Amino acid sequence: MVLAAQARLVTRQFAARQVRAGGPQEVNTDDREIVATIRARLADRIGKDRCEVWFGATTQLAVRGEYLVVTVPNQFFQDWLRSNFRKDLEAAALAACGKPLLSEFRIAAGAEAAPIAQNAPSAPISKPTHTPTADQVSPVPANHNGHASPATKPRRLATFDTFVAGNSNCLAYKSAQMAAEQPGTYSPMLVHGPTGTGKTHLLEGTCSAFRKLHPGASTVLLSAEQFTSHFLEALHGSGMPSFRRKYRGLALLAIDDVQFFTNKRATLVELLHTIDTLSRDGRQLVFVADRSPAALKSLGPELMARLSGGMACRIEPADYATRLGIVSQQAMRLGLRVPAEVEAYIASHFTTQSHELAGALKKLKATSLAHDRPISLALAEEALLELIDHHGRVVKLADIEKAVCDVFGINSESLQSGRKARSVCYPRMLAMWLARKHTRAGLSEISTYFGRRSHSTVISAQKKIEAWMAQASSLKIANGSLSLEETIRRVEQTLRVG
């Protein structure tokens, strides 16, 4: 409700600016009634709060012949609405008009530079009692007297400049930039994805950019475990008032590994109050998790409701082009001159985590120095052979299929068939989920391989598996029944051994 109220206030301000600037009006008189009906149908489909946030006065609708024209304030809005709400818009238009309308997205003239849907703080951004340099911040907060703890020294953070953006992370990257540039616009923001995809790098980059853009603003970056430790310390000794002044007066609060809060009931209650206070004042919150919101239900419905009202961005494992960019950047940081064919070799063979790319380059550098040999493809093949055998093996859909069949005791024909029995359907869904996690195959490729007609079945399978993870469900395998997490571990172990 707080987010929706702030969105209404700010979108009215934006609409007023558009009118004063002579910008495009939403609809003409004849269209107003039909557009109002489309908005009502859209709110029914996606919820009133989400509709107010994304389709308030910052987003203008108009019916033009066979098109529903959606005018937005900037490129980010256009990309997000096109990717996430196109089908809802067209379904709402069909229900309102009785005929299908095609969605056409436009950026309002002169609106790109205007602040969009920003939750302006009700008070000026507070200044900290000590101000680290723009690209430094303490990984844990200062003590409750406002002074840096002697045991904790500010460390240099990663920045956006060293983050390699690509198809696998572009939404999260652009959202993080907006969080730094226009705090409160998309808050709370949740970045989630597998290990080694750059989530923490992006979190640090957000804090680093925020400090440069908002000098003197109070910022804290820490892990969920550190937040819990400081809360318990305050609860049992140092005092809650100073703890709350510290965290509830921030301009930016960034917390890594929020899945750690599971079963920490007292800490979760305190976190919820902190989120509400910061959100009410238009401050920015950024969270990072190793799993999707659906798999975080164990954190409780209250926190999930807050996260659902903000921006959730998934980071996928880096594709080849992104890995190639990471290799090039890491080589530059290490002062290496790496031939293009060597960069391509490393990017092709290390596909699981970005950390592996840096590790491969470091071993290549050490081998080159130790043997006094220039870096070449032949040297890379010799030096990295062991790493590739153990960590860099490319996982294929056939590998996923074989591992799942081995663990569940079924044959591949059953997995690719149209059978809907649980003994086949559940392993098939798990196989598609694992294919999304461990391979670079696209949705259509995965669905076709496992005998499905549409890529939507892969998305449905992914959501189902994540829901089961949140519920700690069990599955029947060849030799009995196991928890879903243990089943996944066994399949992944088979993948590594095979």
Side-chain angles (χ1 to χ4, degrees):
M1 293 179 66
V2 172
L3 177 62
Q6 291 171 335
R8 283 194 294 269
L9 172 62
V10 177
T11 51
R12 283 199 299 269
Q13 294 171 344
F14 180 87
R17 285 197 299 272
Q18 286 290 89
V19 171
R20 289 195 298 271
Q25 301 302 303
E26 180 178 292
V27 289
N28 58 37
T29 304
D30 295 336
D31 289 336
R32 281 209 174 97
E33 184 175 344
I34 192 68
V35 168
T37 305
I38 291 174
R39 287 186 179 275
R41 296 291 181 269
L42 186 60
D44 290 340
R45 289 182 63 86
I46 68 175
K48 290 184 178 180
D49 285 347
R50 294 178 76 197
C51 192
E52 285 191 35
V53 170
W54 293 106
F55 297 93
T58 57
T59 302
Q60 303 160 2
L61 303 181
V63 177
R64 298 288 182 263
E66 300 300 318
Y67 290 89
L68 175 63
V69 179
V70 185
T71 305
V72 296
N74 60 21
Q75 184 67 47
F76 180 85
F77 250 76
Q78 178 173 281
D79 294 343
W80 180 257
L81 297 189
R82 180 186 284 127
S83 300
N84 294 274
F85 295 111
R86 177 190 286 275
K87 291 183 179 179
D88 292 311
L89 279 165
E90 293 179 352
L94 176 62
C97 303
K99 64 176 183 178
L101 296 177
L102 296 176
S103 299
E104 179 180 322
F105 295 87
R106 301 176 182 175
I107 297 176
E112 189 70 24
I116 57 170
Q118 184 169 353
N119 300 329
S122 57
I125 293 179
S126 58
K127 294 184 178 181
T129 55
H130 67 292
T131 306
T133 58
D135 58 353
Q136 291 182 333
V137 65
S138 173
V140 295
N143 62 31
H144 302 306
N145 295 321
H147 302 293
S149 170
T152 303
K153 295 181 179 180
R155 63 181 176 87
R156 189 170 295 275
L157 296 179
T159 66
F160 287 148
D161 293 337
T162 57
F163 187 85
V164 179
N167 292 331
S168 59
N169 56 34
C170 59
L171 176 61
Y173 177 60
K174 289 183 179 180
S175 300
Q177 287 181 315
M178 291 199 69
E181 294 169 4
Q182 299 180 23
T185 303
Y186 302 117
S187 183
M189 174 181 166
L190 173 67
V191 178
H192 63 94
T195 301
T197 52
K199 302 185 299 296
T200 300
H201 187 152
L202 204 57
L203 187 68
E204 292 186 2
T206 303
C207 293
S208 181
F210 187 93
R211 282 194 166 277
K212 290 181 179 180
L213 293 168
H214 310 282
S218 52
T219 304
V220 164
L221 164 64
L222 75 171
S223 68
E225 182 178 8
Q226 289 169 330
F227 183 91
T228 301
S229 297
H230 298 150
F231 165 68
L232 294 176
E233 178 187 344
L235 188 65
H236 298 297
S238 57
M240 288 303 299
S242 57
F243 175 88
R244 288 168 178 162
R245 283 195 300 271
K246 171 67 182 178
Y247 284 99
R248 299 184 188 183
L250 293 170
L252 169 67
L253 174 60
I255 302 181
D256 202 352
D257 295 323
V258 294
Q259 68 276 357
F260 179 82
F261 288 128
T262 300
N263 298 325
K264 309 291 190 301
R265 294 185 180 180
T267 307
L268 277 171
V269 170
E270 183 62 30
L271 177 64
L272 288 172
H273 288 306
T274 301
I275 291 173
D276 289 343
T277 300
L278 295 177
S279 297
R280 186 165 53 247
D281 292 338
R283 309 305 171 93
Q284 183 66 48
L285 296 114
V286 185
F287 301 123
V288 161
D290 65 357
R291 62 203 68 174
S292 71
L296 289 172
K297 290 182 179 178
S298 56
L299 296 179
E302 295 84 1
L303 182 56
M304 292 308 301
R306 271 75 166 177
L307 295 178
S308 299
M311 170 74 76
C313 309
R314 178 176 173 82
I315 296 184
E316 301 284 355
D319 55 17
Y320 174 76
T322 305
R323 294 197 304 274
L324 196 61
I326 294 172
V327 171
S328 179
Q329 184 189 85
Q330 290 290 337
M332 189 181 304
R333 294 182 67 184
L334 291 171
L336 295 178
R337 291 185 178 181
V338 181
E341 62 268 21
V342 177
E343 291 185 348
Y345 178 80
I346 295 173
S348 298
H349 288 81
F350 295 87
T351 62
T352 307
Q353 299 183 19
S354 58
H355 304 302
E356 295 177 350
L357 301 171
L361 281 169
K362 289 176 182 177
K363 182 166 185 180
L364 185 59
K365 179 180 180 180
T367 305
S368 174
L369 293 174
H371 296 281
D372 194 22
R373 293 172 58 186
I375 293 176
S376 65
L377 182 58
L379 180 64
E381 290 174 343
E382 293 175 22
L384 305 178
L385 179 61
E386 184 179 356
L387 289 179
I388 291 173
D389 286 343
H390 287 84
H391 302 292
R393 187 172 70 87
V394 176
V395 177
K396 300 178 181 179
L397 293 177
D399 299 325
I400 300 285
E401 176 189 40
K402 183 179 183 303
V404 170
C405 288
D406 288 347
V407 171
F408 282 88
I410 59 178
N411 56 50
S412 60
E413 289 77 13
S414 296
L415 206 62
Q416 296 182 8
S417 70
R419 292 176 57 192
K420 296 183 179 180
R422 290 184 179 182
S423 59
V424 175
C425 183
Y426 287 1
R428 184 190 300 126
M429 285 192 290
L430 180 59
M432 289 190 284
W433 182 84
L434 288 165
R436 288 282 285 160
K437 179 179 180 182
H438 291 288
T439 76
R440 301 192 301 276
L443 292 171
S444 297
E445 184 180 354
I446 295 171
S447 63
T448 301
Y449 186 90
F450 289 104
R452 306 296 93 190
R453 294 181 179 179
S454 170
H455 69 271
S456 62
T457 57
V458 182
I459 298 174
S460 176
Q462 185 170 347
K463 291 180 178 178
K464 192 73 173 179
I465 294 297
E466 289 174 346
W468 287 346
M469 289 175 67
Q471 298 164 7
S473 300
S474 297
L475 291 179
K476 289 184 179 180
I477 63 171
N479 299 319
S481 180
L482 286 177
S483 69
L484 178 58
E485 289 194 3
E486 177 62 19
T487 303
I488 292 173
R489 190 191 67 78
R490 288 199 180 186
V491 174
E492 290 179 331
Q493 187 177 38
T494 303
L495 277 175
R496 288 193 292 269
V497 173

